Amino acid sequence: RPDMRRDRIIELATYIVVPVLMWVVTPLLGKYLDSFYFHDPGTFAKSTSIIVLGTLVILCGTALVAWTIFLFKSIGQGTPNPRLPPKVFVVSGPYGFSRNPMALGGLLILLGEAAIYYSPSLLGLAVLYGVIVYFNAMLVEEPELTSRFGHAYVDYLARVPRFFPNPWKRYK
């Protein structure tokens, strides 16, 4: 079936293009922008502690993104790509603590890269990414998910924070 083949190509492209953008293109862009105003001859931070911390933040972000993709596939019967969204409303795992754990994982990856590459431009790109995904979630995703999943999603909006979980609160 052509539709299934097209969907599989879109899904695979998502799993290839997004990581390449996050792990290759964004750091290169950050370092390129740094070259105009931040003249540090090194590629990486000079502090081993900063590199280790940045690596741990990247690994946490990557694990969070991988977990959410797994949940979208296994429970939601869909993908992170808006053209092939989950058919089932996913509220387990990290979605029990954050409405957008995938975007939060992406932000962690960018922040970790900013530390490792000692790049103010990459930090700026991370902040820009955060602002864009925040407003996209608020203005595009949440209304669309409310129309798709109705009362269950409205209840979820009231219980679970958009991005950053409160570590002292129990979510139900």
Side-chain angles (χ1 to χ4, degrees):
R1 295 179 19 163
D3 284 349
M4 286 181 61
R5 186 166 183 232
R6 179 189 55 90
D7 290 353
R8 186 70 180 144
I9 290 169
I10 290 170
E11 182 179 0
L12 287 174
T14 300
Y15 298 145
I16 293 168
V17 171
V18 173
V20 167
L21 287 173
M22 292 296 279
W23 293 324
V24 179
V25 174
T26 307
L28 287 173
L29 178 60
K31 290 307 271 186
Y32 174 73
L33 293 172
D34 285 346
S35 71
F36 291 107
Y37 67 92
F38 184 69
H39 300 290
D40 180 46
T43 302
F44 299 103
K46 290 168 183 55
S47 166
T48 303
S49 300
I50 295 292
I51 292 173
V52 169
L53 179 64
T55 301
L56 290 174
V57 171
I58 289 170
L59 291 173
C60 287
T62 301
L64 189 55
V65 169
W67 190 6
T68 59
I69 290 170
F70 172 77
L71 292 172
F72 268 22
K73 287 289 289 177
S74 61
I75 296 171
Q77 302 168 18
T79 75
N81 190 308
R83 297 182 85 180
L84 305 169
K87 297 170 186 72
V88 177
F89 182 38
V90 178
V91 294
S92 60
Y95 288 97
F97 305 97
S98 170
R99 295 194 307 257
N100 295 279
M102 191 178 302
L104 182 56
L107 181 62
L108 290 173
I109 291 168
L110 292 173
L111 291 172
E113 289 174 346
I116 286 175
Y117 292 108
Y118 193 59
S119 171
S121 296
L122 197 45
L123 179 60
L125 291 171
V127 169
L128 179 63
Y129 169 84
V131 169
I132 290 170
V133 296
Y134 181 87
F135 283 105
N136 181 65
M138 184 173 61
L139 301 173
V140 177
E141 288 181 8
E142 290 172 7
E144 194 270 327
L145 291 170
T146 299
S147 71
R148 277 182 44 214
F149 297 114
H151 181 70
Y153 190 75
V154 171
D155 179 55
Y156 179 70
L157 286 173
R159 290 183 296 109
V160 178
R162 186 172 284 128
F163 283 101
F164 301 104
N166 180 343
W168 294 278
K169 182 178 178 180
R170 281 187 74 111
Y171 299 99
K172 295 181 182 184

